[in-house]
Amino acid sequence: MRPLILLDVDGPLSPWAAPRHAKPAGYVEQSLRLSRWSRRRLRIWLNPAHGPTLLALASPAKAELAWATSWEHRANRQVGPAIGLPPLPVIEFAGPQPSWKFGPVARFAAGRPLAWFDDDFDLFPEARRAFVERRAGLETELIPVDAHTGLTGEHFERLEAWLRKIDQP
């Protein structure tokens, strides 16, 4: 089964908690319209190198990238193009989630190994523990990202090491 690489936007790809005067290296400010009916704009930082880096890491492992973000389908319209990603599958989080994203992600993954970048894994520790133990022998790598810095080289190294590990016969 093809492994999954799951992406959250706020925190990993857009370091929302970074001080305004201390934009992390490589990030570029983007001004995104909240909706086509609104004049309001959202300013976020994105790193255009992240898309090509993720694609390059996923390709040799035949891993599938997917959005695991509250941005849902807007990530394909507004974030992906800004960082060089093609349209990706989207995990939908309709309605209130008693266990945050873990339930919908488990259903989407359907027994596939996965690595997941997010900044909020500690919100629901019991749900996280159950998710990681979802199936014996199923490789699951939760990669926490500090929302002050966003993705860094260390995160990509951790993903690369995990992809090498699951590629072993």
Side-chain angles (χ1 to χ4, degrees):
M1 290 192 165
R2 288 178 65 193
L4 286 167
I5 300 171
L6 304 180
L7 305 171
D8 182 26
V9 172
D10 296 320
L13 293 175
S14 173
W16 61 267
R20 272 273 178 232
H21 62 280
K23 175 176 60 174
Y27 284 82
V28 177
E29 186 172 298
Q30 304 283 324
S31 178
L32 307 175
R33 282 180 59 184
L34 294 175
S35 76
R36 60 182 171 186
W37 300 282
S38 173
R39 290 187 183 153
R40 292 187 58 217
R41 300 190 77 77
L42 174 67
R43 295 190 184 281
I44 66 172
W45 290 331
L46 297 171
N47 187 328
H50 285 165
T53 301
L54 288 162
L55 292 169
L57 289 169
S59 181
K62 296 180 176 51
E64 179 181 17
L65 294 162
W67 296 113
T69 175
S70 60
W71 285 66
E72 292 184 342
H73 294 280
R74 290 183 319 149
N76 275 326
R77 293 189 304 273
Q78 297 181 301
V79 178
I83 63 171
L85 288 177
L88 304 176
V90 174
I91 300 172
E92 295 181 350
F93 302 106
Q97 299 294 323
S99 61
W100 181 64
K101 297 178 183 176
F102 292 112
V105 166
R107 287 187 294 278
F108 180 87
R112 295 166 65 183
L114 66 85
W116 180 3
F117 294 111
D118 208 300
D119 63 320
D120 287 330
F121 290 126
D122 293 333
L123 289 178
F124 297 94
E126 289 301 317
R128 182 190 65 233
R129 194 171 4 270
F131 177 80
V132 171
E133 296 169 355
R134 63 196 167 106
R135 188 187 295 179
L138 186 59
E139 294 290 340
T140 300
E141 185 76 6
L142 302 182
I143 305 174
V145 179
D146 186 333
H148 292 88
T149 62
L151 289 173
T152 66
E154 291 176 15
H155 296 109
F156 293 123
E157 289 170 8
R158 185 165 168 186
L159 174 63
E160 187 174 27
W162 179 78
L163 288 166
R164 277 194 312 270
K165 181 173 94 173
I166 65 166
D167 194 35
Q168 302 300 313

